[in-house]
Amino acid sequence: MNRIIRTLTVALVGALVLAGIGASVAADLTPGAKDAQVMNARRENRILTAFNLEPRLHAYDLTVIVDGSSAALGGIVESDVARDLAAQLASGTNGIEHVDNRIRVDSGAVPRKRGSTELKGG
């Protein structure tokens, strides 16, 4: 019984510490910086959604990082056509003026199977 209480106490304290760190980081951001982060996240999600809706791209594990009006693309695809299509979709996203296409082409790249529910952990 004491072991369970100790485990729950440690978990609760850890959660409170993490919540405090997150709150202090959020408090350090100016309203303008918070707005910029939200806008960057929205643009990233729009680009990733476009990739997921495109049959020639949805199976690849592509990444997007948006900073203002610039988007950096990453990942591996099996053709130049897929690489160029990803850049075209990103550049067509509202608010994106520059695309840094770092997607690599590897003819041996294996796309994920459609409907894969594999979760990636860190």
Side-chain angles (χ1 to χ4, degrees):
M1 182 70 156
N2 283 340
R3 187 177 196 160
I4 293 171
I5 293 171
R6 219 179 8 231
T7 302
L8 290 173
T9 302
V10 168
L12 178 61
V13 169
L16 290 173
V17 167
L18 290 175
I21 291 170
S24 68
V25 168
D28 290 343
L29 294 175
T30 63
K34 289 179 188 175
D35 290 344
Q37 281 186 335
V38 169
M39 187 56 65
N40 288 344
R42 284 181 181 162
R43 289 179 179 149
E44 285 174 8
N45 283 326
R46 285 183 192 136
I47 294 169
L48 288 171
T49 298
F51 290 171
N52 285 327
L53 292 174
E54 171 54 52
R56 292 169 285 183
L57 295 177
H58 73 87
Y60 295 104
D61 190 19
L62 300 177
T63 60
V64 178
I65 299 173
V66 171
D67 185 11
S69 62
S70 296
L73 311 180
I76 302 172
V77 295
E78 59 185 342
S79 71
D80 287 322
V81 171
R83 181 182 191 275
D84 295 343
L85 178 59
Q88 185 179 22
L89 289 173
S91 66
T93 300
N94 190 25
I96 298 298
E97 297 174 10
H98 178 264
V99 175
D100 181 9
N101 192 351
R102 298 179 185 180
I103 295 174
R104 292 183 295 138
V105 175
D106 179 356
S107 60
V110 179
R112 295 183 313 240
K113 290 183 180 178
R114 187 174 185 113
S116 173
T117 57
E118 177 183 343
L119 296 177
K120 294 185 177 192

